[in-house]
Amino acid sequence: MQGVKVLAGVVGAAALLGLGIILGHFAIPKGADSPAPSISASQDLDLGILETIMEQLDASRIRENLRELSREPHLSSTPRDEELVQLLLQRWRDAESGLDSAETFEYEVLLSLPSQEQPNSVTVVDPTGNILFSCRRSEENVTGEQEGPDVVPPYAAYAPPGTPQAVNAAKHGVAGVLVYTDPSDINDGQSSPSQTFPYSWGLPPSGVERGSYLEYFGDPLTPYLPANPSSFRLDPDNASGFPPIPAQPIGFEDAKVLLCNLQGASAPETWQGALGCEYRLGPGFRSDGNFSADSQVNVSVHNRLELRNSSNVLGIIRGAVEPDRYVLYGNHRDSWVHGAVDPSSGTAVLLEVTRALGTLLKKGTWRPRRSVIFGSWGAEEFGLIGSTEFTEEFFSKLQERTVAYINVDISVFANVSLRAQGTPPIQSVVFTAAKQIPAPGRSSLSIYDNWIQYSNRSSPVYGLVPSLGTLGAGSDYAPFIHFLGISSMDLAYTYDRSKTSARIYPTYHTAFDTFGYVDNFVDPGFSSHQAVSRVVGNVLLRLSDSLFLPLNVSDYSETLRSFLQAAQQDLGALLEQHSISLGPLVAAVDKFEGAAAALDERISELQKGTPDPLQVRMLNDQLMLLERSFLNSRAFPEERYYSHVLWAPRTGSVATFPGLANACSAAMNTAPGSAAWAEVQRQLSIVVAAVEAAAATLRPVADL
């Protein structure tokens, strides 16, 4: 992402350049292959171009993309992962449908891998050491794709090596952990052969969910620094975030053998599941079961830590008017095995969106107002590593210039309804896009109208609207929102929550997540993949081409007001007992609402005429920078990378500002005047300062 030297042109060039406005087609380097369309400082979204791109996004092309992407397992840093790096470069450098440029950024990162020489194992042994039962070391090979040298066996990444032997934690202390996916979490309790893959979309009993057990995201040895050769690295023995005890995942068919033979007290009701027996806590096995009462469970974990090279692939379309303003769209590339749903469904959509945009770009019929950067992130499955290293390496440039980040990890969980998560300012642009696109299989309805039938909420401002979820740390949006304070979103198609209690799609992180699984059960015909590509393409063009950024900052007023009301209702009396007043927070939220409303009026006035480009630029920067004003790098010193005071992890039960909720929860049973209550006051002050800073960001730029 090298900076682009520019020459200035058009009306008022000298003055505008002096004030930081970069105009004209000269932003495109000399010698560029594609001719530039007519450029002006007032370039706005072209609805004709938008419609053309919506029509060009092709379900059959997405299907073929997915077939190729998921043809072989592509664990991070493996040869197949590198082959996909080259595939992306080839597509993004194509003479007829490529982008302006594409390059790789390589990082040396610490990964955790199972030992090939000493496979992990889980066995039941009698007192003399004879093996009575062994859990499967690989999944059943139902389609010929579940075995082979490139299929990584089930393991828990970053779990330390060890060989604990025990039956239950209560008697012996926690010596090791076995993890399994209960069929009630993914199969709605169904696990007969006819209800599982390859006959249906359910998870076969041998299925094992792989995963990373790293506490933090990013490379474990270079926190806050890019994992480049010159960067300081921690000693792995002193690095934090690794799980303290050995762990190994197993399939629910093996978990049933262990759980259904335990004796002892019944497990809590919330622990009971769908294995067909009463779950008990031990210690020991039942005398009338498969094993003698004094049998033991042996867990042998031989994972190893290894430095590996992992690449991000970046593709760039340079903006015609504001090349120094970036719209980012990313998806991770690596998978645990074939990864047809996770993440290749997202990569297949990414490739189709870039093909459609690149085709117009190479024809010379379109160039966005702002630059668009496409990211294929490496090593996400190990802990959002590629995206985090990218944000660390380009921290200042991204914070200063990025308008928004669009994430599409899994593009299709199921084929029922859109699911969108994001920060409040992106709600309006997602809604606008969803209203313009027909819902797959329901052409009489828009995606928006279909969405609102399955997931909705009552807004005091808009009435009944689709539910917009919040962003945690489940995918590559995390470093962009929590670390950089960039307005972010995550888009996908999903299932009907009223008809399933499934935590996620059944074959998640298993060797059964294959092209055939998607083609036959998740999205036959790929109409939902096409729908996601159209929503993403629509949102992307609106963010990159609109004269005024389509970020509605007033939608933050509703969030702040709801957080404030929760604090008043559930914490107000308690805080008063300790002489802590919410008055300053009430005043800060009032200031924000007033500033947001005034800015909305200012935008409306400017849109009525022919606005001065400088006025547009200043206003757009206010919209872009709002999210940054909620950052405080000292707010949560115990939470690596989390600095956004509204969206940090919340452990307290009150749905309010997370720092305040967590501090109140920790102080609840401490004495007045304690350090815990001082932390409550500190967290309240942090929130007040952030909300006031946000209000100041939205006020006229000449005002403090």
Side-chain angles (χ1 to χ4, degrees), residues 398-460:
L398 294 173
Q399 265 208 333
E400 292 167 359
R401 303 180 182 181
T402 305
V403 167
Y405 174 68
I406 304 168
N407 194 69
V408 181
D409 184 338
I410 297 171
S411 69
V412 179
F413 291 89
N415 56 5
V416 174
S417 170
L418 185 68
R419 186 210 70 180
Q421 300 169 298
T423 54
I426 63 91
Q427 174 178 268
S428 61
V429 68
V430 174
F431 284 179
T432 299
K435 289 175 180 177
Q436 293 189 322
I437 303 165
R442 306 185 71 182
S443 57
S444 62
L445 293 178
S446 67
I447 287 178
Y448 179 93
D449 292 332
N450 182 69
W451 179 14
I452 205 171
Q453 291 183 1
Y454 291 98
S455 177
N456 58 65
R457 67 182 181 89
S458 180
S459 163

Side-chain angles (χ1 to χ4, degrees), residues 1-6 318 326 397 401:
M1 291 173 55
Q2 300 300 316
V4 180
K5 294 183 179 179
V6 299
R318 297 181 186 90
Y326 308 151
K397 184 178 285 189
R401 303 180 182 181

Side-chain angles (χ1 to χ4, degrees), residues 250 421 435 463 488 513 652:
I250 60 176
Q421 300 169 298
K435 289 175 180 177
S488 301
D513 183 0

Side-chain angles (χ1 to χ4, degrees), residues 309-357:
N309 291 329
S310 178
S311 296
N312 292 335
V313 187
L314 277 296
I316 300 173
I317 300 176
R318 297 181 186 90
V321 181
E322 299 180 81
D324 63 332
R325 289 293 175 261
Y326 308 151
V327 178
L328 270 59
Y329 167 23
N331 156 258
H332 76 92
R333 182 184 64 257
D334 64 305
S335 67
W336 287 112
V337 194
H338 292 84
V341 178
D342 180 14
S344 299
S345 67
T347 311
V349 165
L350 172 68
L351 286 172
E352 177 60 3
V353 170
T354 56
R355 182 200 65 81
L357 295 176

Side-chain angles (χ1 to χ4, degrees), residues 569-645:
Q569 178 178 331
D570 298 325
L571 301 175
L574 177 67
L575 293 172
E576 284 183 10
Q577 293 174 15
H578 293 269
S579 302
I580 299 174
S581 172
L582 288 173
L585 183 57
V586 173
V589 172
D590 288 342
K591 286 181 185 177
F592 181 90
E593 290 178 340
L599 188 66
D600 285 346
E601 291 181 7
R602 173 69 172 151
I603 294 173
S604 296
E605 287 299 317
L606 287 175
Q607 288 175 329
K608 292 176 182 178
T610 303
D612 182 285
L614 180 58
Q615 295 298 317
V616 175
R617 174 75 168 206
M618 289 191 296
L619 188 147
N620 281 340
D621 280 357
Q622 290 175 275
L623 301 178
M624 179 183 75
L625 295 173
L626 171 65
E627 206 76 63
R628 318 290 199 268
S629 63
F630 291 112
L631 297 183
N632 186 317
S633 60
R634 304 297 180 90
F636 315 107
E638 73 287 356
E639 298 282 1
R640 187 180 295 176
Y641 295 110
Y642 288 101
S643 55
H644 199 299
V645 303

